[in-house]
Amino acid sequence: MKSSNSPHVSAVLLCAGKGARAGLGYNKLLYRADGQTVLERTLDRIQSHVRHTTVVAAAEDHDRICELLQGRENIQICIGGATRTESVRKGLAALPPCDIVVIHDGARPFVGSDILEASIDSAVRSGSGIAAVPATDTIKVVDGDTVVETLDRSRLVNVQTPQTFRYNEIVDAYARCDGDYTDDSAVYERAGYTAHIVAGDSRNVKITTPEDVLRLGARGKIGSGFDVHRLVAGRKLILGGVELTHDKGLLGHSDADVLTHAIMDALLSAAGLPDIGVLFPDNDAQYKDISSLTLLARVLQEVHTRGYAIGNVSAVVMAEKPKLAAHIPAIRARLAEALETNVDCVNVSATTTEKLGIIGEEKGIAASATCLLYHEYGKHRQQ
């Protein structure tokens, strides 16, 4: 219980980013692992240290975050801006006046109480408390591929959040400094104030990449798929939803897009569902000549319904002809759009069988695929 003489400490929690590099296809703060979202984990870490919290959210996440905040006291939500700096400005404007304000990234759910306490204590004493850890790599200034200067590592730190300030000083700094900044201490310094460092922690990482997501104890599921179709005259050749120019096409009940079929089976495998032969039988007239991307959309809906989001998909096409290297960028882009994810989460490569077997004899084309699924927020999960 805080003493009545304790400074009034509030927090601005930044949650308005897109989180594209995490590869989830939605805001990483809404990612759920072991029953909690990243946002809820972060809130649990900071709320015992503050009296009031303003969560700065993207407009598209507003309703979902409001649901997560139900039952939590002394917390409000505001819509952020196009940049981090603008989101902080909006968060500070929405925050009721206080003595000390903690500014923290919602994507840092591993922050420890010791860091928060040190940051707040420093701000009370000196006006600011910026969590930072010593730089462990040698840092060089370069011009193109030429090293211009090697910096003294002993004087360098990697800055984290929380970054904590006297409320009136950081509000004044943001009011007087135009432009965008990568962190709050830069704004504070630019306004003429002195930023003071406190010890951060290497474990206080910001969730940014798929590898970082795994730190949350995320339970991923891996699936694999394989398909092969015969090449015949008089058919279109479609791979990954892209029609290619070739003297033959693939034979099948649908459009026979062997690459998309392999990806669908990989997704179904990871989600514990029957394969496409069961879901879309080749004796059912409704699937005659249907686009495989239409079927992929149905598979994706089944995957989402069972509470999963795509981590990544990796596929290999085995074909003697046509050569596919020039077409792969378009194929990846088309598949990423269909899978509702980022292009860098969909990889496609091509190989031959060195003229061996039905692939080498140009009698058919085969494809294999693997995928990683993560639990997705806000959806039903199988027991």
Side-chain angles (χ1 to χ4, degrees):
M1 187 77 175
K2 295 182 184 299
S3 164
S4 59
N5 294 324
S6 298
H8 184 148
V9 181
S10 294
V12 171
L13 191 63
L14 301 172
C15 305
K18 301 298 182 184
R21 284 179 290 174
L24 295 173
Y26 59 88
N27 190 335
K28 60 198 173 189
L29 297 181
L30 301 177
Y31 177 77
R32 184 183 297 276
D34 295 330
Q36 270 195 316
T37 61
V38 174
L39 171 57
E40 289 171 298
R41 289 186 181 210
T42 307
L43 280 169
D44 285 348
R45 294 294 183 108
I46 69 170
Q47 277 202 283
S48 61
H49 297 271
V50 302
R51 298 189 192 181
H52 181 93
T53 302
T54 293
V55 173
V56 185
E60 58 267 31
D61 298 326
H62 178 272
D63 291 347
R64 174 58 181 153
I65 290 179
C66 281
E67 291 177 15
L68 294 175
L69 299 182
Q70 287 181 6
R72 291 180 181 264
E73 297 180 352
N74 300 318
I75 192 165
Q76 69 180 110
I77 186 171
C78 75
I79 302 301
T83 65
R84 185 188 189 282
T85 301
E86 188 57 31
S87 289
V88 176
R89 285 196 178 97
K90 289 179 178 290
L92 290 172
L95 190 72
C98 55
D99 300 316
I100 301 293
V101 57
V102 177
I103 302 174
H104 189 59
D105 297 320
R108 290 188 189 268
F110 307 113
V111 61
S113 292
D114 54 344
I115 301 175
L116 285 159
E117 290 171 1
S119 180
I120 293 168
D121 288 346
S122 178
V124 171
R125 292 193 315 270
S126 308
S128 60
I130 315 300
V133 294
T136 56
D137 296 319
T138 298
I139 309 297
K140 295 181 182 288
V141 180
V142 299
D143 183 2
D145 61 356
T146 303
V147 174
V148 176
E149 182 183 1
T150 300
L151 302 181
D152 180 1
R153 187 174 63 188
S154 68
R155 301 183 62 207
L156 300 176
V157 295
N158 294 319
V159 171
Q160 304 176 330
T161 65
Q163 297 194 12
T164 306
F165 308 89
R166 289 179 183 144
Y167 170 81
N168 62 330
E169 293 180 355
I170 193 64
V171 168
D172 172 66
Y174 268 97
R176 293 197 288 117
C177 295
D178 295 326
D180 291 316
Y181 300 82
T182 58
D183 80 320
D184 311 294
S185 64
V187 181
Y188 192 71
E189 296 165 45
R190 180 68 180 271
Y193 296 104
T194 300
H196 296 272
I197 297 297
V198 299
D201 192 322
S202 60
R203 294 169 294 184
N204 180 29
V205 297
K206 185 178 181 181
I207 303 300
T208 303
T209 66
E211 291 75 17
D212 295 329
V213 173
L214 294 176
R215 294 174 182 263
L216 297 166
R219 293 167 291 168
K221 286 198 170 185
I222 297 172
S224 62
F226 178 85
D227 198 25
V228 60
H229 283 271
R230 184 184 299 275
L231 279 167
V232 297
R235 290 274 296 185
K236 294 179 179 179
L237 177 57
I238 299 173
L239 292 174
V242 176
E243 184 176 341
L244 306 181
T245 301
H246 193 50
D247 59 350
K248 296 179 182 179
L250 292 171
L251 181 63
H253 186 63
S254 65
D255 64 2
D257 182 343
V258 67
L259 173 57
T260 301
H261 289 185
I263 291 172
M264 285 193 288
D265 271 341
L267 295 171
L268 292 167
S269 169
L273 293 166
D275 62 33
I276 58 174
V278 176
L279 295 180
F280 314 118
D282 61 8
N283 57 3
D284 192 327
Q286 68 175 308
Y287 302 124
K288 178 64 175 173
D289 297 324
I290 193 171
S291 167
S292 293
L293 292 187
T294 299
L295 301 181
L296 178 59
R298 298 182 190 179
V299 168
L300 189 63
Q301 180 59 44
E302 290 293 326
V303 167
H304 286 326
T305 298
R306 281 158 177 77
Y308 295 102
I310 292 174
N312 75 296
V313 171
S314 181
V316 180
V317 180
M318 291 155 270
E320 199 66 35
K321 290 182 181 177
K323 299 303 180 185
L324 298 178
H327 302 289
I328 284 178
I331 291 172
R332 289 180 66 199
R334 188 71 186 92
L335 286 171
E337 178 184 15
L339 291 166
E340 300 176 7
T341 191
N342 302 316
V343 172
D344 59 3
C345 294
V346 179
N347 194 51
V348 176
S349 60
T351 189
T352 70
T353 59
E354 300 294 336
K355 300 190 180 298
L356 298 174
I358 62 171
I359 306 300
E361 294 169 3
E362 300 179 41
K363 293 180 180 179
I365 293 177
S368 66
T370 58
C371 75
L372 176 64
L373 299 183
Y374 292 126
H375 282 298
E376 186 178 28
Y377 73 89
K379 301 293 179 78
H380 168 72
R381 286 187 279 176
Q382 284 185 310
Q383 300 301 315

